[in-house]
Amino acid sequence: MTAPSSLTTRPTIEGRKGSRRRRPANRGPARWILSAPLLVFLALFVAFPIVYGVQSALTSKTLLDPTPTWVGLGNFGAVLTDAGFWHSALFTLLYTVVVTGFELAFGFGLALLFDKDFPGKKFLLSAVILPIMIAPALMGIMFRLLLNSNIGLLPGFLHSIGVDVPLLGAGTVVPMLMGLDVLQWTPFTFLLFHAALQSVPGELHEAAQLDRANYPRFVVSILIPLMVPTIFIAGFLRAIDAFRTFDTINVLTSGGPGDNTTTLSIYIYKILSAGNFGTASAAALIVALIMLPLVPVVVRRITRGAV
């Protein structure tokens, strides 16, 4: 009785050993072949631009003098000692924090509202997500015409009721730009929160009703803790996008009046438009280095949320 058992077991073990011996020999080439498209993509579109940017940042190259001249860290020093860079950095940070906070709050509130059934829900849902479908540059052009002091509809209405306020003046332009960003990108956070609410089990609502917990208590004690990963991802995505805002503000104000609304992206664009490629590359690398430490934190938080 034992002989047949050993005969049937031995080939299986040998077969496993053989497969273990063969696997490393076959895995190496296959691994590189399968990774080749991604490696080529990273080399062409990530590594090469970074290397070229570093090379440009270490040289002086302008439209008037296109021959690269080695200047070492001189371009970085010029950027870091420029008051305009720090002003644009502070404005960009303030802009990012304010618009991201409002967009998360409004998006979550809209998601709670649309989680209920009410008349005209489908029509209002289409109206709410409409701004996100418009290109930011086109949105800027539309509001530039709407807010123009001479031909704009809103300044004309305010003038008719005796209020003469330049909506894109120095005192009002910053909240006006923030409001426009909130108007356009709140639908983005709303869609993320709305999708997350659809995955909340109905048993939780029933349990809250049995415990006689009112709706605000249910939202604070159950929904918000459940949606922390979604809130974090939505906040991160909006913060990254707000930090590199360019097109809408550039169309509306070009960073003005003065440099009141100059973001870091517009600051770099102005240097590049002046033909100073080396300094523009140095400024872009400094901005990338500011954002780089956030990447491991965000990846670790998202991975923990996924688990």
PDB file of all heavy atoms in Angstrom, residues 84 87-88 91 144 147 149 166-177 248-263 266 270:
ATOM      1  N   GLY A  84       9.973  88.508  -5.630  1.00  0.00           N
ATOM      2  CA  GLY A  84       8.800  88.097  -6.396  1.00  0.00           C
ATOM      3  C   GLY A  84       8.526  86.606  -6.277  1.00  0.00           C
ATOM      4  O   GLY A  84       7.364  86.179  -6.281  1.00  0.00           O
ATOM      5  N   HIS A  87       6.871  86.067  -2.865  1.00  0.00           N
ATOM      6  CA  HIS A  87       5.506  86.590  -2.883  1.00  0.00           C
ATOM      7  C   HIS A  87       4.579  85.635  -3.636  1.00  0.00           C
ATOM      8  O   HIS A  87       3.468  85.333  -3.160  1.00  0.00           O
ATOM      9  CB  HIS A  87       5.474  87.963  -3.544  1.00  0.00           C
ATOM     10  CG  HIS A  87       4.092  88.534  -3.665  1.00  0.00           C
ATOM     11  ND1 HIS A  87       3.442  89.161  -2.623  1.00  0.00           N
ATOM     12  CD2 HIS A  87       3.220  88.544  -4.713  1.00  0.00           C
ATOM     13  CE1 HIS A  87       2.235  89.532  -3.014  1.00  0.00           C
ATOM     14  NE2 HIS A  87       2.086  89.172  -4.282  1.00  0.00           N
ATOM     15  N   SER A  88       5.024  85.147  -4.778  1.00  0.00           N
ATOM     16  CA  SER A  88       4.196  84.217  -5.542  1.00  0.00           C
ATOM     17  C   SER A  88       4.036  82.896  -4.798  1.00  0.00           C
ATOM     18  O   SER A  88       2.969  82.265  -4.865  1.00  0.00           O
ATOM     19  CB  SER A  88       4.793  83.987  -6.931  1.00  0.00           C
ATOM     20  OG  SER A  88       6.090  83.426  -6.830  1.00  0.00           O
ATOM     21  N   PHE A  91       1.413  83.542  -2.058  1.00  0.00           N
ATOM     22  CA  PHE A  91       0.080  83.654  -2.654  1.00  0.00           C
ATOM     23  C   PHE A  91      -0.419  82.287  -3.120  1.00  0.00           C
ATOM     24  O   PHE A  91      -1.594  81.942  -2.922  1.00  0.00           O
ATOM     25  CB  PHE A  91       0.101  84.623  -3.832  1.00  0.00           C
ATOM     26  CG  PHE A  91      -1.196  84.639  -4.600  1.00  0.00           C
ATOM     27  CD1 PHE A  91      -2.338  85.216  -4.059  1.00  0.00           C
ATOM     28  CD2 PHE A  91      -1.282  84.039  -5.853  1.00  0.00           C
ATOM     29  CE1 PHE A  91      -3.539  85.211  -4.749  1.00  0.00           C
ATOM     30  CE2 PHE A  91      -2.478  84.022  -6.549  1.00  0.00           C
ATOM     31  CZ  PHE A  91      -3.612  84.612  -6.001  1.00  0.00           C
ATOM     32  N   ARG A 144     -13.892  86.920 -17.774  1.00  0.00           N
ATOM     33  CA  ARG A 144     -13.231  88.198 -18.091  1.00  0.00           C
ATOM     34  C   ARG A 144     -14.214  89.137 -18.776  1.00  0.00           C
ATOM     35  O   ARG A 144     -14.222  90.352 -18.530  1.00  0.00           O
ATOM     36  CB  ARG A 144     -12.024  87.943 -18.988  1.00  0.00           C
ATOM     37  CG  ARG A 144     -11.198  89.189 -19.262  1.00  0.00           C
ATOM     38  CD  ARG A 144      -9.925  88.854 -19.979  1.00  0.00           C
ATOM     39  NE  ARG A 144      -9.101  90.045 -20.183  1.00  0.00           N
ATOM     40  CZ  ARG A 144      -7.890  90.029 -20.715  1.00  0.00           C
ATOM     41  NH1 ARG A 144      -7.356  88.868 -21.080  1.00  0.00           N
ATOM     42  NH2 ARG A 144      -7.210  91.137 -20.864  1.00  0.00           N
ATOM     43  N   LEU A 147     -16.937  90.133 -16.030  1.00  0.00           N
ATOM     44  CA  LEU A 147     -16.505  91.013 -14.944  1.00  0.00           C
ATOM     45  C   LEU A 147     -15.807  92.271 -15.428  1.00  0.00           C
ATOM     46  O   LEU A 147     -15.363  93.078 -14.603  1.00  0.00           O
ATOM     47  CB  LEU A 147     -15.557  90.239 -14.006  1.00  0.00           C
ATOM     48  CG  LEU A 147     -16.129  88.959 -13.387  1.00  0.00           C
ATOM     49  CD1 LEU A 147     -15.065  88.252 -12.559  1.00  0.00           C
ATOM     50  CD2 LEU A 147     -17.344  89.269 -12.521  1.00  0.00           C
ATOM     51  N   SER A 149     -14.916  95.869 -16.372  1.00  0.00           N
ATOM     52  CA  SER A 149     -15.494  97.102 -15.820  1.00  0.00           C
ATOM     53  C   SER A 149     -16.249  97.912 -16.860  1.00  0.00           C
ATOM     54  O   SER A 149     -17.176  98.658 -16.521  1.00  0.00           O
ATOM     55  CB  SER A 149     -14.387  97.966 -15.213  1.00  0.00           C
ATOM     56  OG  SER A 149     -13.730  97.277 -14.173  1.00  0.00           O
ATOM     57  N   PRO A 166     -14.716  97.912  -8.747  1.00  0.00           N
ATOM     58  CA  PRO A 166     -13.984  97.153  -9.772  1.00  0.00           C
ATOM     59  C   PRO A 166     -13.781  95.716  -9.310  1.00  0.00           C
ATOM     60  O   PRO A 166     -13.022  95.457  -8.371  1.00  0.00           O
ATOM     61  CB  PRO A 166     -12.653  97.916  -9.870  1.00  0.00           C
ATOM     62  CG  PRO A 166     -12.510  98.631  -8.570  1.00  0.00           C
ATOM     63  CD  PRO A 166     -13.885  98.939  -8.092  1.00  0.00           C
ATOM     64  N   LEU A 167     -14.472  94.785  -9.955  1.00  0.00           N
ATOM     65  CA  LEU A 167     -14.461  93.397  -9.486  1.00  0.00           C
ATOM     66  C   LEU A 167     -13.106  92.725  -9.671  1.00  0.00           C
ATOM     67  O   LEU A 167     -12.836  91.700  -9.051  1.00  0.00           O
ATOM     68  CB  LEU A 167     -15.554  92.611 -10.216  1.00  0.00           C
ATOM     69  CG  LEU A 167     -16.982  93.106  -9.951  1.00  0.00           C
ATOM     70  CD1 LEU A 167     -17.985  92.302 -10.753  1.00  0.00           C
ATOM     71  CD2 LEU A 167     -17.303  93.030  -8.466  1.00  0.00           C
ATOM     72  N   LEU A 168     -12.280  93.262 -10.566  1.00  0.00           N
ATOM     73  CA  LEU A 168     -10.938  92.707 -10.750  1.00  0.00           C
ATOM     74  C   LEU A 168      -9.883  93.695 -10.272  1.00  0.00           C
ATOM     75  O   LEU A 168      -8.742  93.664 -10.722  1.00  0.00           O
ATOM     76  CB  LEU A 168     -10.707  92.344 -12.228  1.00  0.00           C
ATOM     77  CG  LEU A 168     -11.598  91.213 -12.773  1.00  0.00           C
ATOM     78  CD1 LEU A 168     -11.304  90.964 -14.240  1.00  0.00           C
ATOM     79  CD2 LEU A 168     -11.398  89.920 -11.973  1.00  0.00           C
ATOM     80  N   GLY A 169     -10.268  94.589  -9.347  1.00  0.00           N
ATOM     81  CA  GLY A 169      -9.317  95.532  -8.783  1.00  0.00           C
ATOM     82  C   GLY A 169      -8.457  94.885  -7.706  1.00  0.00           C
ATOM     83  O   GLY A 169      -8.636  93.712  -7.351  1.00  0.00           O
ATOM     84  N   ALA A 170      -7.545  95.677  -7.149  1.00  0.00           N
ATOM     85  CA  ALA A 170      -6.595  95.128  -6.184  1.00  0.00           C
ATOM     86  C   ALA A 170      -7.271  94.595  -4.927  1.00  0.00           C
ATOM     87  O   ALA A 170      -6.813  93.622  -4.332  1.00  0.00           O
ATOM     88  CB  ALA A 170      -5.573  96.214  -5.809  1.00  0.00           C
ATOM     89  N   GLY A 171      -8.389  95.216  -4.531  1.00  0.00           N
ATOM     90  CA  GLY A 171      -9.030  94.796  -3.288  1.00  0.00           C
ATOM     91  C   GLY A 171      -9.980  93.626  -3.431  1.00  0.00           C
ATOM     92  O   GLY A 171     -10.353  93.000  -2.434  1.00  0.00           O
ATOM     93  N   THR A 172     -10.412  93.325  -4.653  1.00  0.00           N
ATOM     94  CA  THR A 172     -11.430  92.293  -4.852  1.00  0.00           C
ATOM     95  C   THR A 172     -10.986  91.139  -5.730  1.00  0.00           C
ATOM     96  O   THR A 172     -11.684  90.125  -5.798  1.00  0.00           O
ATOM     97  CB  THR A 172     -12.680  92.908  -5.496  1.00  0.00           C
ATOM     98  OG1 THR A 172     -12.295  93.564  -6.723  1.00  0.00           O
ATOM     99  CG2 THR A 172     -13.320  93.939  -4.563  1.00  0.00           C
ATOM    100  N   VAL A 173      -9.830  91.270  -6.384  1.00  0.00           N
ATOM    101  CA  VAL A 173      -9.475  90.270  -7.388  1.00  0.00           C
ATOM    102  C   VAL A 173      -9.151  88.916  -6.761  1.00  0.00           C
ATOM    103  O   VAL A 173      -9.488  87.861  -7.330  1.00  0.00           O
ATOM    104  CB  VAL A 173      -8.295  90.788  -8.244  1.00  0.00           C
ATOM    105  CG1 VAL A 173      -7.037  90.928  -7.400  1.00  0.00           C
ATOM    106  CG2 VAL A 173      -8.059  89.866  -9.430  1.00  0.00           C
ATOM    107  N   VAL A 174      -8.499  88.901  -5.593  1.00  0.00           N
ATOM    108  CA  VAL A 174      -8.112  87.615  -4.991  1.00  0.00           C
ATOM    109  C   VAL A 174      -9.336  86.795  -4.585  1.00  0.00           C
ATOM    110  O   VAL A 174      -9.452  85.619  -4.979  1.00  0.00           O
ATOM    111  CB  VAL A 174      -7.161  87.847  -3.797  1.00  0.00           C
ATOM    112  CG1 VAL A 174      -6.897  86.531  -3.069  1.00  0.00           C
ATOM    113  CG2 VAL A 174      -5.837  88.447  -4.282  1.00  0.00           C
ATOM    114  N   PRO A 175     -10.297  87.364  -3.796  1.00  0.00           N
ATOM    115  CA  PRO A 175     -11.488  86.544  -3.498  1.00  0.00           C
ATOM    116  C   PRO A 175     -12.294  86.204  -4.743  1.00  0.00           C
ATOM    117  O   PRO A 175     -12.934  85.148  -4.794  1.00  0.00           O
ATOM    118  CB  PRO A 175     -12.291  87.423  -2.529  1.00  0.00           C
ATOM    119  CG  PRO A 175     -11.720  88.780  -2.642  1.00  0.00           C
ATOM    120  CD  PRO A 175     -10.306  88.626  -3.042  1.00  0.00           C
ATOM    121  N   MET A 176     -12.267  87.080  -5.768  1.00  0.00           N
ATOM    122  CA  MET A 176     -12.991  86.775  -7.000  1.00  0.00           C
ATOM    123  C   MET A 176     -12.380  85.550  -7.697  1.00  0.00           C
ATOM    124  O   MET A 176     -13.098  84.652  -8.159  1.00  0.00           O
ATOM    125  CB  MET A 176     -12.946  87.986  -7.925  1.00  0.00           C
ATOM    126  CG  MET A 176     -13.896  87.899  -9.103  1.00  0.00           C
ATOM    127  SD  MET A 176     -15.629  87.807  -8.619  1.00  0.00           S
ATOM    128  CE  MET A 176     -15.852  89.428  -7.888  1.00  0.00           C
ATOM    129  N   LEU A 177     -11.046  85.481  -7.759  1.00  0.00           N
ATOM    130  CA  LEU A 177     -10.383  84.331  -8.386  1.00  0.00           C
ATOM    131  C   LEU A 177     -10.613  83.056  -7.583  1.00  0.00           C
ATOM    132  O   LEU A 177     -10.810  81.972  -8.154  1.00  0.00           O
ATOM    133  CB  LEU A 177      -8.886  84.607  -8.520  1.00  0.00           C
ATOM    134  CG  LEU A 177      -8.490  85.703  -9.508  1.00  0.00           C
ATOM    135  CD1 LEU A 177      -6.985  85.933  -9.474  1.00  0.00           C
ATOM    136  CD2 LEU A 177      -8.929  85.341 -10.921  1.00  0.00           C
ATOM    137  N   THR A 248      -6.518  79.872 -15.833  1.00  0.00           N
ATOM    138  CA  THR A 248      -7.630  80.763 -15.512  1.00  0.00           C
ATOM    139  C   THR A 248      -7.136  82.129 -15.029  1.00  0.00           C
ATOM    140  O   THR A 248      -7.598  83.178 -15.503  1.00  0.00           O
ATOM    141  CB  THR A 248      -8.524  80.122 -14.433  1.00  0.00           C
ATOM    142  OG1 THR A 248      -8.951  78.834 -14.878  1.00  0.00           O
ATOM    143  CG2 THR A 248      -9.728  80.996 -14.157  1.00  0.00           C
ATOM    144  N   ILE A 249      -6.176  82.121 -14.110  1.00  0.00           N
ATOM    145  CA  ILE A 249      -5.661  83.390 -13.567  1.00  0.00           C
ATOM    146  C   ILE A 249      -4.893  84.149 -14.639  1.00  0.00           C
ATOM    147  O   ILE A 249      -4.991  85.380 -14.738  1.00  0.00           O
ATOM    148  CB  ILE A 249      -4.781  83.112 -12.333  1.00  0.00           C
ATOM    149  CG1 ILE A 249      -5.616  82.484 -11.215  1.00  0.00           C
ATOM    150  CG2 ILE A 249      -4.120  84.396 -11.837  1.00  0.00           C
ATOM    151  CD1 ILE A 249      -4.829  82.160  -9.961  1.00  0.00           C
ATOM    152  N   ASN A 250      -4.152  83.429 -15.469  1.00  0.00           N
ATOM    153  CA  ASN A 250      -3.382  84.116 -16.515  1.00  0.00           C
ATOM    154  C   ASN A 250      -4.308  84.795 -17.518  1.00  0.00           C
ATOM    155  O   ASN A 250      -4.021  85.900 -17.980  1.00  0.00           O
ATOM    156  CB  ASN A 250      -2.472  83.113 -17.222  1.00  0.00           C
ATOM    157  CG  ASN A 250      -1.454  83.793 -18.115  1.00  0.00           C
ATOM    158  OD1 ASN A 250      -0.737  84.690 -17.691  1.00  0.00           O
ATOM    159  ND2 ASN A 250      -1.407  83.382 -19.374  1.00  0.00           N
ATOM    160  N   VAL A 251      -5.419  84.150 -17.861  1.00  0.00           N
ATOM    161  CA  VAL A 251      -6.375  84.754 -18.791  1.00  0.00           C
ATOM    162  C   VAL A 251      -7.063  85.963 -18.162  1.00  0.00           C
ATOM    163  O   VAL A 251      -7.258  86.999 -18.806  1.00  0.00           O
ATOM    164  CB  VAL A 251      -7.420  83.703 -19.236  1.00  0.00           C
ATOM    165  CG1 VAL A 251      -8.566  84.360 -19.976  1.00  0.00           C
ATOM    166  CG2 VAL A 251      -6.765  82.643 -20.109  1.00  0.00           C
ATOM    167  N   LEU A 252      -7.416  85.852 -16.883  1.00  0.00           N
ATOM    168  CA  LEU A 252      -8.178  86.922 -16.232  1.00  0.00           C
ATOM    169  C   LEU A 252      -7.310  88.117 -15.854  1.00  0.00           C
ATOM    170  O   LEU A 252      -7.693  89.267 -16.087  1.00  0.00           O
ATOM    171  CB  LEU A 252      -8.861  86.369 -14.979  1.00  0.00           C
ATOM    172  CG  LEU A 252     -10.239  85.723 -15.182  1.00  0.00           C
ATOM    173  CD1 LEU A 252     -10.689  85.036 -13.908  1.00  0.00           C
ATOM    174  CD2 LEU A 252     -11.266  86.759 -15.617  1.00  0.00           C
ATOM    175  N   THR A 253      -6.155  87.873 -15.247  1.00  0.00           N
ATOM    176  CA  THR A 253      -5.381  88.992 -14.684  1.00  0.00           C
ATOM    177  C   THR A 253      -3.924  89.009 -15.115  1.00  0.00           C
ATOM    178  O   THR A 253      -3.226  89.989 -14.836  1.00  0.00           O
ATOM    179  CB  THR A 253      -5.423  88.931 -13.152  1.00  0.00           C
ATOM    180  OG1 THR A 253      -4.729  87.757 -12.711  1.00  0.00           O
ATOM    181  CG2 THR A 253      -6.853  88.879 -12.636  1.00  0.00           C
ATOM    182  N   SER A 254      -3.429  87.924 -15.710  1.00  0.00           N
ATOM    183  CA  SER A 254      -1.997  87.797 -16.055  1.00  0.00           C
ATOM    184  C   SER A 254      -1.108  87.999 -14.825  1.00  0.00           C
ATOM    185  O   SER A 254       0.016  88.494 -14.917  1.00  0.00           O
ATOM    186  CB  SER A 254      -1.608  88.797 -17.151  1.00  0.00           C
ATOM    187  OG  SER A 254      -2.348  88.546 -18.328  1.00  0.00           O
ATOM    188  N   GLY A 255      -1.648  87.644 -13.660  1.00  0.00           N
ATOM    189  CA  GLY A 255      -0.875  87.784 -12.424  1.00  0.00           C
ATOM    190  C   GLY A 255      -1.026  89.127 -11.750  1.00  0.00           C
ATOM    191  O   GLY A 255      -0.453  89.343 -10.684  1.00  0.00           O
ATOM    192  N   GLY A 256      -1.786  90.041 -12.342  1.00  0.00           N
ATOM    193  CA  GLY A 256      -1.938  91.386 -11.782  1.00  0.00           C
ATOM    194  C   GLY A 256      -3.199  91.552 -10.979  1.00  0.00           C
ATOM    195  O   GLY A 256      -3.901  90.555 -10.725  1.00  0.00           O
ATOM    196  N   PRO A 257      -3.533  92.772 -10.563  1.00  0.00           N
ATOM    197  CA  PRO A 257      -2.725  93.998 -10.780  1.00  0.00           C
ATOM    198  C   PRO A 257      -1.416  93.956  -9.975  1.00  0.00           C
ATOM    199  O   PRO A 257      -1.411  93.466  -8.854  1.00  0.00           O
ATOM    200  CB  PRO A 257      -3.649  95.107 -10.262  1.00  0.00           C
ATOM    201  CG  PRO A 257      -4.614  94.427  -9.349  1.00  0.00           C
ATOM    202  CD  PRO A 257      -4.780  93.030  -9.831  1.00  0.00           C
ATOM    203  N   GLY A 258      -0.364  94.474 -10.605  1.00  0.00           N
ATOM    204  CA  GLY A 258       0.969  94.323 -10.026  1.00  0.00           C
ATOM    205  C   GLY A 258       1.359  92.863 -10.062  1.00  0.00           C
ATOM    206  O   GLY A 258       1.325  92.235 -11.121  1.00  0.00           O
ATOM    207  N   ASP A 259       1.687  92.305  -8.911  1.00  0.00           N
ATOM    208  CA  ASP A 259       1.919  90.868  -8.819  1.00  0.00           C
ATOM    209  C   ASP A 259       1.012  90.257  -7.743  1.00  0.00           C
ATOM    210  O   ASP A 259       1.358  89.261  -7.114  1.00  0.00           O
ATOM    211  CB  ASP A 259       3.388  90.580  -8.509  1.00  0.00           C
ATOM    212  CG  ASP A 259       3.839  91.263  -7.223  1.00  0.00           C
ATOM    213  OD1 ASP A 259       3.062  92.055  -6.657  1.00  0.00           O
ATOM    214  OD2 ASP A 259       4.979  90.998  -6.780  1.00  0.00           O
ATOM    215  N   ASN A 260      -0.163  90.872  -7.566  1.00  0.00           N
ATOM    216  CA  ASN A 260      -1.084  90.422  -6.513  1.00  0.00           C
ATOM    217  C   ASN A 260      -1.547  88.992  -6.710  1.00  0.00           C
ATOM    218  O   ASN A 260      -1.786  88.278  -5.739  1.00  0.00           O
ATOM    219  CB  ASN A 260      -2.312  91.353  -6.446  1.00  0.00           C
ATOM    220  CG  ASN A 260      -2.000  92.637  -5.729  1.00  0.00           C
ATOM    221  OD1 ASN A 260      -0.862  92.856  -5.311  1.00  0.00           O
ATOM    222  ND2 ASN A 260      -2.986  93.509  -5.584  1.00  0.00           N
ATOM    223  N   THR A 261      -1.725  88.565  -7.950  1.00  0.00           N
ATOM    224  CA  THR A 261      -2.264  87.230  -8.217  1.00  0.00           C
ATOM    225  C   THR A 261      -1.280  86.374  -8.999  1.00  0.00           C
ATOM    226  O   THR A 261      -1.682  85.484  -9.737  1.00  0.00           O
ATOM    227  CB  THR A 261      -3.585  87.344  -8.989  1.00  0.00           C
ATOM    228  OG1 THR A 261      -3.342  88.038 -10.234  1.00  0.00           O
ATOM    229  CG2 THR A 261      -4.631  88.104  -8.203  1.00  0.00           C
ATOM    230  N   THR A 262      -0.008  86.634  -8.825  1.00  0.00           N
ATOM    231  CA  THR A 262       1.015  85.844  -9.530  1.00  0.00           C
ATOM    232  C   THR A 262       1.263  84.539  -8.782  1.00  0.00           C
ATOM    233  O   THR A 262       1.805  84.542  -7.680  1.00  0.00           O
ATOM    234  CB  THR A 262       2.329  86.634  -9.641  1.00  0.00           C
ATOM    235  OG1 THR A 262       2.095  87.838 -10.372  1.00  0.00           O
ATOM    236  CG2 THR A 262       3.390  85.816 -10.352  1.00  0.00           C
ATOM    237  N   THR A 263       0.832  83.441  -9.374  1.00  0.00           N
ATOM    238  CA  THR A 263       1.132  82.127  -8.803  1.00  0.00           C
ATOM    239  C   THR A 263       2.536  81.710  -9.224  1.00  0.00           C
ATOM    240  O   THR A 263       3.181  82.349 -10.070  1.00  0.00           O
ATOM    241  CB  THR A 263       0.123  81.085  -9.297  1.00  0.00           C
ATOM    242  OG1 THR A 263       0.227  80.975 -10.726  1.00  0.00           O
ATOM    243  CG2 THR A 263      -1.300  81.489  -8.934  1.00  0.00           C
ATOM    244  N   ILE A 266       2.685  81.142 -12.958  1.00  0.00           N
ATOM    245  CA  ILE A 266       2.751  82.381 -13.741  1.00  0.00           C
ATOM    246  C   ILE A 266       4.113  83.041 -13.569  1.00  0.00           C
ATOM    247  O   ILE A 266       4.659  83.617 -14.524  1.00  0.00           O
ATOM    248  CB  ILE A 266       1.606  83.323 -13.316  1.00  0.00           C
ATOM    249  CG1 ILE A 266       0.255  82.694 -13.677  1.00  0.00           C
ATOM    250  CG2 ILE A 266       1.749  84.691 -13.982  1.00  0.00           C
ATOM    251  CD1 ILE A 266      -0.945  83.523 -13.233  1.00  0.00           C
ATOM    252  N   LYS A 270       6.480  83.930 -16.681  1.00  0.00           N
ATOM    253  CA  LYS A 270       6.973  85.280 -16.988  1.00  0.00           C
ATOM    254  C   LYS A 270       8.483  85.277 -17.230  1.00  0.00           C
ATOM    255  O   LYS A 270       8.983  85.959 -18.128  1.00  0.00           O
ATOM    256  CB  LYS A 270       6.612  86.233 -15.841  1.00  0.00           C
ATOM    257  CG  LYS A 270       5.131  86.601 -15.791  1.00  0.00           C
ATOM    258  CD  LYS A 270       4.858  87.577 -14.644  1.00  0.00           C
ATOM    259  CE  LYS A 270       3.397  88.020 -14.658  1.00  0.00           C
ATOM    260  NZ  LYS A 270       3.095  88.947 -13.542  1.00  0.00           N
TER     261      LYS A 270
END
